[in-house]
Amino acid sequence: MFIVKGHCHRLFILAAAVLVCGAGRAPEGGGQGGGAGGTVLRLQTLPSPVSTDISAQVSRVIVQEFAALYPQYKLEAFAFPGIEGMAMDQGPLMAIATGVPPHGMYVNFRQSSSYIDHGFLVPLEILLARLNSADPRARAADAAGNWLADPSPAEVEEALAMLRARIVDAAWPVLYREADTDRAGVPRGKHVWALPYGQLVRALLYRKDVFNEAGLDPERPPRDWNEFLDYSRKIRALPGKFGFMYSTGIHVSWGVYSFMVSNGVRYMEKGADGRWRATFNTPAAAETIYYLLELTRQPFETEAGDTYSGAVFAPLGGGQEMDLKWQRGEIGMRFSYLTFGRGLDINPALVGIAPAPASYSGESASELNCGSTGVFSGSTPEQQLGVMRYIWFQTGEQAERIRTRMFIDAGYGTFLDPDVLAKYGYDDVLKQVPEDWKNTVRDALRNGVPEPYGKNTQTIYEYVSEPINWALERPELLQLPRDEALRRIGEQLDRAAQRVDKFLLGELTPREWRIRRLAGGGVLALIIVVFALSIRWVWRAFSRQEQALGDQPSFRRM
């Protein structure tokens, strides 16, 4: 399998970024400062100039409003090539290492711990307190980039409360926490490291036309796992239809996250001792995987006498094929993010929205994520304040008013947050919002479970996917007694959790650490020896050629 290879790529790039930047400082001081063109702010979250969808149009207007309000800043879109399939994760790290970092960094939950622990982010409550401080010296710095004064503790507390008001409850523990390291240069204590500009919640989408064709009530989505399995099989009995779809492969654990968290499974948690550990090796996780195996591989017979081996379309990797099948009406149900951009292509007459079906325990939950922006610590003081101003404007009331008005004018008001519509008095639009959208958004925000966000979580999905894929590749487990099948799945979960604790979280014994260091040192020494011998062999080969031509080699002793 190629998980180790991908992990090494990530470690190499992260190591390069840390070596070059130290505790988050770029060689250029974070980028250009002031000048004739103003202070440059390089931002990851600027809209693409070639995008024409309503979300991009709204974002461009918000950027224009900010530029008019703060003409001293020159906004630039961040762009940097990354390894194929990992550009979002590795592009910023490569840019930091090469001295052209984004001053405003995109931060999702899975990336947040790495960014925090390597000192790449500035605490936002301190920056916001600087902007609001009564002391102008808190916003000024000397020639070396050192702040002339700090905001008062009361000003910091006030700024913290202002940030808290803009972060949903489920996301607060993710964005307000302390670093999992005592590395020099990383701020101590709890801080707000990034501010969300939009919530992402996953919900169940279902095709009402497919439900009708299968004899199901299009206004009644499945409420629990039993109904979900029954609905999926009834839809699968239709020619060329599948009840549900998700992609397998190294990220299958993300694709089925809603099933997992609905059954109380959490991939990683922080213990009372302050250490992160894998927590997905539980009976509930084994039960969830067994349910997925039933859904995906268990043969069943239809009323017409036909037999199908599973009710799910589960290709390796997924991608465009899945989207095409959904658009063609070949899939009955799928999980998808609810966002402005995602909601705009949903026709309420054709597609219904529902919370994740409840597990056998009766719990319903789904993934909560946030697109957030943080301030790169290697930026100049001017740039840090500028990015903080941009973040505060982007998430503030003026931008929210622009966003709400433009979406409504474009005919997409029914896909906005119902609370926002009520806040700005769009009662006529609020009456048109489908009830399933209202209920799903409310339930998703209330029951949302954050994407894994602890120490070294950037590759957690790959590790959790191993036991899931192992089970999905073995339909013969369904022929065993249920308890025996659950036991075997549990063994695979335990092995995967042990690998996470050892290789991802460093939970090694002193003896294992010594062996690892010795092995690493031996491999490094071998590489050096092979490299030196190779150089010597190449030099001798060229020396012989030079002597045959009558030239004298420079280093005769090699």
Side-chain angles (χ1 to χ4, degrees):
M1 207 165 177
F2 49 89
I3 290 177
V4 175
K5 181 179 178 182
H7 190 47
C8 289
H9 279 304
R10 293 180 176 90
L11 290 176
F12 170 79
I13 295 168
L14 185 57
V18 174
L19 286 172
V20 175
C21 302
R25 292 283 174 183
E28 62 163 352
Q32 298 89 347
T39 300
V40 172
L41 304 182
R42 198 177 299 119
L43 304 167
Q44 274 188 270
T45 56
L46 289 182
S48 170
V50 297
S51 296
T52 58
D53 60 87
I54 184 62
S55 296
Q57 295 177 38
V58 171
S59 296
R60 280 195 285 269
V61 171
I62 292 173
V63 168
Q64 291 166 6
E65 291 289 327
F66 175 83
L69 192 62
Y70 299 102
Q72 68 267 38
Y73 300 118
K74 179 182 178 182
L75 305 186
E76 291 184 357
F78 168 79
F80 200 90
I83 298 171
E84 185 178 358
M86 294 183 262
M88 181 182 72
D89 290 349
Q90 310 308 346
L93 299 179
M94 294 171 67
I96 291 170
T98 55
V100 285
H103 308 122
M105 300 185 71
Y106 171 77
V107 182
N108 69 11
F109 291 174
R110 187 171 49 84
Q111 295 167 307
S112 60
S113 182
S114 293
Y115 286 0
I116 294 168
D117 291 349
H118 287 90
F120 293 155
L121 300 176
V122 179
L124 295 191
E125 76 278 6
I126 297 177
L127 279 181
L128 184 59
R130 290 188 184 281
L131 292 178
N132 297 333
S133 178
D135 184 356
R137 296 182 305 149
R139 293 180 291 278
D142 60 23
N146 301 310
W147 297 104
L148 299 184
D150 291 326
S152 69
E155 290 172 332
V156 173
E157 283 299 316
E158 181 182 2
L160 184 63
M162 295 169 68
L163 289 164
R164 178 67 181 90
R166 295 192 181 183
I167 300 176
V168 296
D169 291 345
W172 180 247
V174 184
L175 299 173
Y176 177 65
R177 70 183 200 263
E178 58 185 341
D180 293 309
T181 181
D182 56 0
R183 184 192 303 271
V186 179
R188 300 291 186 268
K190 287 188 174 182
H191 299 285
V192 177
W193 301 101
L195 191 60
Y197 55 85
Q199 281 76 44
L200 300 172
V201 291
R202 285 177 74 81
L204 182 70
L205 303 186
Y206 64 95
R207 293 280 304 231
K208 295 182 179 182
D209 54 338
V210 177
F211 270 42
N212 261 324
E213 192 176 348
L216 300 170
D217 184 351
E219 301 304 326
R220 191 187 183 285
R223 297 175 181 174
D224 56 39
W225 282 7
N226 287 324
E227 286 190 353
F228 190 87
L229 180 61
D230 180 56
Y231 280 32
S232 296
R233 288 177 172 176
K234 287 181 177 177
I235 294 170
R236 183 67 185 98
L238 299 173
K241 308 287 187 186
F242 293 89
F244 178 64
M245 70 176 180
Y246 66 92
S247 62
T248 59
I250 62 173
H251 296 134
V252 65
S253 59
W254 172 76
V256 300
Y257 192 72
S258 295
F259 289 112
M260 287 288 199
V261 296
S262 289
N263 209 22
V265 181
R266 303 295 183 266
Y267 290 174
M268 291 176 67
E269 288 187 322
K270 198 171 190 178
D273 59 357
R275 299 180 70 88
W276 287 92
R277 292 182 179 85
T279 54
F280 57 84
N281 55 328
T282 63
E287 181 183 61
T288 306
I289 294 174
Y290 188 83
Y291 174 76
L292 292 169
L293 185 59
E294 291 179 309
L295 188 67
T296 310
R297 300 285 186 239
Q298 189 170 62
F300 67 95
E301 187 174 336
T302 68
E303 294 180 359
D306 298 321
T307 299
Y308 293 91
S309 57
V312 171
F313 178 65
L316 180 64
Q320 188 175 13
E321 184 182 11
M322 294 175 66
D323 290 332
L324 289 174
K325 281 186 172 293
W326 173 258
Q327 293 166 11
R328 292 196 296 252
E330 298 173 11
I331 305 294
M333 296 175 286
R334 70 178 300 182
F335 283 113
S336 183
Y337 279 125
L338 295 182
T339 67
F340 291 142
R342 183 67 189 90
L344 300 183
D345 61 358
I346 295 176
N347 179 356
L350 185 66
V351 178
I353 304 170
S359 67
Y360 297 138
S361 67
E363 180 183 354
S364 171
S366 193
E367 177 196 345
L368 172 75
N369 210 327
C370 293
S372 305
T373 306
V375 179
F376 177 54
S377 60
S379 307
T380 65
E382 266 187 319
Q383 289 167 334
Q384 291 182 22
L385 292 177
V387 174
M388 187 67 240
R389 285 191 172 101
Y390 176 78
I391 292 173
W392 197 245
F393 182 85
Q394 183 191 34
T395 60
E397 187 170 295
Q398 185 175 347
E400 189 176 59
R401 284 184 180 276
I402 293 171
R403 190 178 295 112
T404 305
R405 173 179 50 80
M406 289 188 65
F407 271 92
I408 289 174
D409 290 346
Y412 298 120
T414 55
F415 289 106
L416 297 180
D417 185 339
D419 291 339
V420 173
L421 293 173
K423 176 181 178 180
Y424 295 114
Y426 290 104
D427 296 332
D428 53 336
V429 180
L430 185 60
K431 293 175 182 177
Q432 303 172 38
V433 177
E435 284 299 317
D436 55 359
W437 175 271
K438 290 182 186 177
N439 296 335
T440 302
V441 170
R442 183 188 65 245
D443 291 348
L445 290 176
R446 184 178 64 237
N447 301 324
V449 176
E451 178 185 38
Y453 62 90
K455 180 181 177 181
N456 291 345
T457 50
Q458 284 187 289
T459 57
I460 184 63
Y461 289 133
E462 298 175 9
Y463 285 89
V464 184
S465 293
E466 290 179 14
I468 300 175
N469 284 317
W470 179 89
L472 293 176
E473 292 167 1
R474 289 165 175 80
E476 62 270 18
L477 290 170
L478 295 168
Q479 308 302 319
L480 300 175
R482 180 183 174 88
D483 289 346
E484 175 63 15
L486 292 174
R487 185 189 67 79
R488 295 190 184 187
I489 294 172
E491 289 177 349
Q492 297 299 317
L493 287 166
D494 287 339
R495 292 192 181 99
Q498 289 170 8
R499 285 195 291 273
V500 169
D501 288 341
K502 283 192 174 185
F503 303 123
L504 213 58
L505 303 179
E507 290 283 331
L508 301 174
T509 65
R511 180 175 180 274
E512 288 172 326
W513 275 117
R514 285 195 300 272
I515 293 173
R516 176 176 282 198
R517 292 190 182 102
L518 288 172
V523 170
L524 180 60
L526 180 62
I527 292 174
I528 293 173
V529 170
V530 171
F531 181 76
L533 292 175
S534 299
I535 292 295
R536 184 179 181 185
W537 179 83
V538 170
W539 184 263
R540 285 184 169 182
F542 277 100
S543 296
R544 286 194 294 269
Q545 185 176 6
E546 287 179 349
Q547 289 174 340
L549 296 173
D551 297 328
Q552 292 297 319
S554 303
F555 299 93
R556 294 182 179 180
R557 294 183 179 180
M558 290 193 72

